[in-house]
Each structure stands twice: as C-alpha cells, then as structure tokens.
Amino acid sequence: MSQLAESKGIILSSRNYKEKDKLVKIFTESAGKMMFYVKGIHRQNQPLAPALLPFTEATYIGIGTFKNEGLSFITSVKDVHAFRHIQEDIFLSGYGTYLLNLVDAAIEDHQYDPHLFHFTQLALNRMDQGDDAEIITNIFEVQLLQRFGIAPIWTHCVVCGETQGKFDYSSKYGGVICEKHWDMDHHRYHADPRAVYFVRMFSAISYDKINGISLKEETKQAIRQLIDQLYEEYVGIHLKSKKFIDQMKSWEHVLKVPEKEDKPTTEDEKND
C-alpha cells in the first residue's frame, strides 16, 4: 500500500506544461526546493488550484516519499493559507516576487534548509500584515548573503573592534571600518553612514522583534545603494524582479505617504 508524504511549503513559481498540466516549484520545509508535476490543473473546479497560486503556503501531499531527483507529484493539499494582501497589491507582489526569486537563487534543489524556510515565511507574513515591504526585503537581502557564501563583519570595526560611531564598508577588510580608519582603504564604499547603521542592524535583527519601522525616503535610497553594491560585488545575480522593484520607484507618487522620521522600533526598544 502506497504511503503518503507531506510537507509544509511555499509556492516559488509555476509554469504551464502541455495543455492541462503545470510544473510548480515549491520551497518545502522538509525537503528543500522541489519541482512538482500537477496533472489537470486547468480543469474547472480543480481542488488543488487555490493552493498553487503565487504567494500561497500550504501542506502539500504526494504518494510515496518526495523524490531526490526528477519530478514529484502532488495529490492533495491541506491547511492552505494565501498571503492575500501580497496577492492583491502590485507593489507588495513586486517585493514578494523578488524575495522568493532570491530564495530560488540561493539554494540548490532538495537542499534541506528549515531555517531559511521559516525566515521566508516570517518575511512574507510581516509584509502581508502591513510592515514596510522595502525594509522587510532589505533585512532579507542582508541576512541571505550567508547563503551565497558571504559573511561580512558588521558587529564591529574589523581594524580596532569599535562598535560605536560612524562606519563604512570595506571589501579589503571584509567588513565595516570605523571613521578613524577610513584612510586605510581608499576604495571603501563611501556609503552614507546612516545606511551602514541600518544595514548593521538588519544583519542581526529578528522579524519577530520588529514592532514598526519608519524611514525617510532618502535613507531608504542610501540603504538600497549599499545593498546593491554588496550584491553586485559578491553575488552577481541580476533578477528581473529586482529590476521591476527598482522601476516601481517611479510609480510611488500613486500611493505617496507623508515622510516619516527614521525610527526603527523593536520589541526590545519598546520595552526599554
């Protein structure tokens, strides 16, 4: 008698296959990133259809163990949860797509990584619940660097160990250097110290400790520039979804909100 295998999963992408079928890439909690073959998905009233939409998580069930090679098959689903706000908002879906594309690029197929699975889950949940999608994505980008084999030192000046003051990023030293040692690397990033401050924070902060983030647009742009420099130098991937969210900046007047002061708030700071 055939056994059923099941795992929680998040839809990464999908594409039509033949006339009635679909290939769906899912980031599963128990078996990593996998490609699934779903038959007859375009039939009317197909019960699996809602669980295969973009920005959806569910428990996916198949016959036998999920294969280590080739395609696996989904026979049923349960506990379907859609990230509705991300699905319905073009700005949120832009950031969400980029976030999931980064996951896809960062790990190999069938690479077991439950920590990254839960980190991705938390990021999508916070984005769906109304936290600033741009900052949620920045945090994700900074902490995902380690999956690409990059581990910059953010906690202290790599020259003297200083933890307070103004910092800049140095490729030469593989981390931040304090203002006293900027002259030791003339090719440092020359990044905005405010951007370095927040990226240092983002490298260690936990999503579940963020109560709310309010940053000026100028600061966001400086953070974006710094992270882009890091990804261009160390990672070197060029995703269409990244280009799309960059272009979205020219549409922001449609949903313009008043400028706010730079006030990152965590649960710890709230309790102080």
Side-chain angles (χ1 to χ4, degrees):
M1 186 174 180
S2 297
Q3 293 183 333
L4 295 179
E6 65 177 62
S7 176
K8 291 181 180 178
I10 299 170
I11 298 295
L12 290 178
S13 63
S14 66
R15 67 177 187 269
N16 292 331
Y17 183 74
K18 299 182 179 179
E19 292 185 9
K20 300 179 180 179
D21 307 329
K22 190 179 282 287
L23 294 175
V24 185
K25 188 180 292 186
I26 301 177
F27 185 17
T28 71
E29 182 180 28
S30 64
K33 186 177 69 176
M34 300 178 62
M35 185 70 78
F36 290 86
Y37 179 60
V38 185
K39 298 183 65 175
I41 191 61
H42 298 300
R43 293 199 308 264
Q44 190 173 10
N45 298 323
Q46 164 59 267
L48 296 180
L52 301 179
L53 293 173
F55 310 113
T56 301
E57 64 175 351
T59 298
Y60 298 91
I61 303 169
I63 296 176
T65 58
F66 291 147
K67 297 180 180 179
N68 289 328
E69 297 182 1
L71 299 174
S72 297
F73 297 86
I74 297 175
T75 57
S76 60
V77 295
K78 63 182 181 181
D79 304 325
V80 180
H81 169 69
F83 299 101
R84 294 292 185 193
H85 291 103
I86 301 178
Q87 289 177 342
E88 296 168 359
D89 186 298
I90 188 171
F91 292 93
L92 293 181
S93 65
Y95 285 107
T97 299
Y98 173 54
L99 187 149
L100 294 175
N101 287 170
L102 281 175
V103 171
D104 198 359
I107 58 172
E108 300 294 330
D109 291 350
H110 301 284
Q111 181 178 330
Y112 177 64
D113 197 336
H115 177 79
L116 181 56
F117 177 85
H118 291 293
F119 186 53
T120 305
Q121 202 176 35
L122 276 172
L124 292 173
N125 271 313
R126 299 306 299 241
M127 198 179 294
D128 198 56
Q129 292 168 10
D131 283 311
D132 190 312
E134 189 171 359
I135 301 305
I136 293 299
T137 302
N138 291 159
I139 294 170
F140 196 87
E141 289 173 298
V142 173
Q143 296 193 23
L144 195 68
L145 281 171
Q146 60 181 311
R147 293 304 194 287
F148 293 105
I150 312 304
I153 297 172
W154 298 109
T155 54
H156 58 273
C157 174
V158 296
V159 178
C160 68
E162 179 63 71
T163 59
Q164 303 295 322
K166 292 183 179 180
F167 293 85
D168 197 3
Y169 185 78
S170 167
S171 302
K172 177 180 178 180
Y173 293 100
V176 291
I177 53 177
C178 68
E179 190 174 14
K180 291 178 291 187
H181 298 104
W182 283 356
D183 60 352
M184 294 180 65
D185 184 3
H186 297 296
H187 298 288
R188 59 188 173 85
Y189 276 22
H190 296 276
D192 186 325
R194 292 172 301 173
V196 180
Y197 168 82
F198 283 106
V199 169
R200 292 180 67 210
M201 177 190 294
F202 293 167
S203 70
I205 200 167
S206 173
Y207 282 130
D208 58 11
K209 291 187 177 181
I210 296 174
N211 185 55
I213 302 176
S214 298
L215 298 181
K216 294 179 181 178
E217 185 56 35
E218 181 183 357
T219 305
K220 288 184 178 183
Q221 291 175 1
I223 292 170
R224 177 76 273 154
Q225 183 178 357
L226 173 54
I227 294 175
D228 283 351
Q229 282 184 270
L230 288 164
Y231 266 75
E232 184 63 31
E233 178 175 1
Y234 291 112
V235 182
I237 58 174
H238 300 91
L239 301 171
K240 290 182 179 179
S241 52
K242 173 56 168 60
K243 184 177 180 180
F244 179 77
I245 64 172
D246 288 342
Q247 292 172 338
M248 286 196 309
K249 284 296 183 181
S250 63
W251 311 342
E252 282 190 335
H253 67 278
V254 178
L255 296 175
K256 189 68 176 178
V257 295
E259 285 264 319
K260 297 180 179 180
E261 295 182 3
D262 294 340
K263 291 183 179 179
T265 305
T266 66
E267 290 296 338
D268 290 339
E269 290 171 326
K270 184 179 178 182
N271 293 330
D272 285 344

